[in-house]
Amino acid sequence: MRDSPEARHAPATARNRDAILAVLRETLPERGTVLEIAAGTGEHAVFFAAAFPQLTWQPSDPNDDARSSIAAHAAIAGLNNVRPPLALDAAAPEWPITAADAILCINMIHIAPWSAAEGLMAGAGRLKPEVLFLYGPFRENGAHTAPSNEAFDGWLKAQDPSYGVRDLEEVSALAARHGFTLDRKVAMPANNLSLVFRGGPSDRRNP
Ligand SMILES: C[S@@+](CC[C@H](N)C(=O)[O-])C[C@H]1O[C@@H](n2cnc3c(N)ncnc32)[C@H](O)[C@@H]1O
């Protein structure tokens, strides 16, 4: 496969992509646009876009290097259903996109301030996708679910005290304030969870 210097690699994406894909196959709408928030290297974007050729994949990330990597992976993959990456900070009050049928956010809300989670939910509330999919480690019932997640939480907070493994209940309550209900919680490898939130009928789809 051709490669380019901009195309970065995150080894975790190769480890978790098949398990995530299995959940997405049961979750994503048949057609429409998937907005991926915090797409990082772009490896997930091209892998999932190849698996769902009938969907339009819209990757995004606020980081310039990440967007270069996403564009490089998209060019290498040569897929016609991946759009150029958007500069999108979830915490921003306005996003450079106004509609999506699904929103994906993998491994972001623990490695960003809580304001990013708040912005993510507020933005999802504005775009009103059918599905909001989150993936990552979560605390449940006020406790870590595994020693490895507790250690990771300590590492995150050492990087930045505003980071940290989030409480599932707090995330669900935040989602509910923006019109999303937790529909499915799927245990994933390495003590992660897939969370599938669903919104009510959207004004856009049901004018
Ligand atoms: C751990 S990486 C995960 C990347 C990718 N989703 C994956 O699973 O490999 C976290 C990503 O979150 C992005 N990020 C951090 N703060 C963000 C924010 N406020 N809005 C959107 N993305 C953000 C970073 O630029 C980075 O690409």
Side-chain angles (χ1 to χ4, degrees):
M1 185 200 270
R2 286 186 300 122
D3 214 337
S4 86
E6 290 84 20
R8 294 185 295 138
H9 295 277
T13 57
R15 290 197 297 271
N16 60 28
R17 65 186 194 176
D18 291 301
I20 295 174
L21 176 60
V23 180
L24 294 181
R25 285 200 188 284
E26 301 168 347
T27 300
L28 290 181
E30 291 202 356
R31 307 205 170 269
T33 297
V34 178
L35 170 63
E36 184 182 358
I37 307 279
T41 63
E43 291 165 286
H44 278 150
V46 295
F47 183 74
F48 297 144
F52 297 103
Q54 76 286 10
L55 292 172
T56 299
W57 210 268
Q58 175 61 76
S60 71
D61 203 286
N63 181 281
D64 293 345
D65 291 342
R67 290 198 306 284
S68 297
S69 180
I70 295 163
H73 278 290
I76 292 164
L79 300 166
N80 63 11
N81 62 331
V82 181
R83 289 205 187 134
L86 292 174
L88 191 160
D89 176 350
E94 284 183 22
W95 289 0
I97 180 170
T98 54
D101 299 283
I103 295 180
L104 253 68
C105 183
I106 298 171
N107 279 332
M108 188 277 273
I109 66 169
H110 57 277
I111 199 152
W114 179 244
S115 57
E118 291 177 319
L120 170 68
M121 295 301 182
R126 293 190 298 274
L127 267 58
K128 296 183 169 54
E130 266 175 53
V131 176
L132 170 61
F133 173 92
L134 265 59
Y135 173 96
F138 292 89
R139 287 158 50 95
E140 289 188 79
N141 304 310
H144 287 289
T145 60
S148 59
N149 281 6
E150 186 167 7
F152 184 44
D153 189 40
W155 180 85
L156 286 165
K157 291 186 165 110
Q159 311 305 303
D160 187 318
S162 72
Y163 295 179
V165 173
R166 307 302 179 191
D167 278 291
L168 172 60
E169 294 78 8
E170 279 187 41
V171 173
S172 297
L174 176 62
R177 290 203 286 282
H178 294 283
F180 293 90
T181 306
L182 182 60
D183 181 48
R184 283 185 73 200
K185 178 186 80 168
V186 185
M188 304 296 283
N191 304 303
N192 289 295
L193 292 178
S194 283
L195 301 180
V196 180
F197 293 91
R198 291 192 184 273
S202 106
D203 297 344
R204 180 169 56 78
R205 284 188 301 272
N206 303 305

